[in-house]
Amino acid sequence: MLQYINETHPISVGDVAQHFSRTRGLARTTVQTMMQRLVSKGFLKRKRGGPVYVYTPSVSTSQVITTMIAEFVKGVLGGSVSPILAYLSQNYNDLSDAEIAELRALVAKLDEPAPAGRES
């Protein structure tokens, strides 16, 4: 939802609801609740745009993804990224060659010296 809002902002709940009703079968109330949660988490801003509120992203999509992954790792995985790596290694056939190359490049960065202020 946030990606769609990011691509089409500023946008009203009605317009978002219409899109997600058509593409995913979501009810307007569901969309409205989800958008209110995104506002409360600081991912969206809302302001009066005529007779309705319009919404715009308050952070980039990549920042949202980073935050959500961090929350998932902390809350669900107890702070360990090992289960994610285990999943990827067991399901590597689902990854494209480009994704595998990107993962290899990221792992190679782990061999670089730690930035100042971070313990190894």
Side-chain angles (χ1 to χ4, degrees):
M1 179 173 298
L2 196 53
Q3 182 176 349
Y4 178 73
I5 294 168
N6 194 41
E7 294 168 356
T8 57
H9 70 86
I11 191 165
S12 69
V13 169
D15 291 336
V16 176
Q18 184 178 26
H19 171 78
F20 283 98
S21 172
R22 191 174 56 250
T23 61
R24 301 232 177 119
L26 297 179
R28 179 188 173 96
T29 54
T30 301
V31 170
Q32 187 169 11
T33 299
M34 292 171 71
M35 290 177 70
Q36 287 172 344
R37 287 182 181 159
L38 291 169
V39 168
S40 68
K41 290 184 176 193
F43 296 136
L44 287 180
K45 291 185 281 189
R46 137 186 134 151
K47 67 178 182 178
R48 187 62 84 172
V52 297
Y53 285 103
V54 292
Y55 295 77
T56 56
S58 55
V59 295
S60 71
T61 302
S62 64
Q63 287 174 303
V64 172
I65 291 169
T66 299
T67 300
M68 292 176 77
I69 290 171
E71 288 175 1
F72 177 77
V73 168
K74 183 178 177 185
V76 176
L77 303 178
S80 174
V81 296
S82 295
I84 294 171
L85 298 174
Y87 171 82
L88 291 173
S89 69
Q90 293 168 1
N91 296 282
Y92 66 91
N93 289 332
D94 296 337
L95 301 173
S96 70
D97 290 342
E99 289 170 320
I100 291 171
E102 185 176 356
L103 288 170
R104 284 190 174 126
L106 291 169
V107 169
K109 282 186 172 183
L110 296 175
D111 289 331
E112 296 174 1
R118 190 184 110 207
E119 293 181 25
S120 300

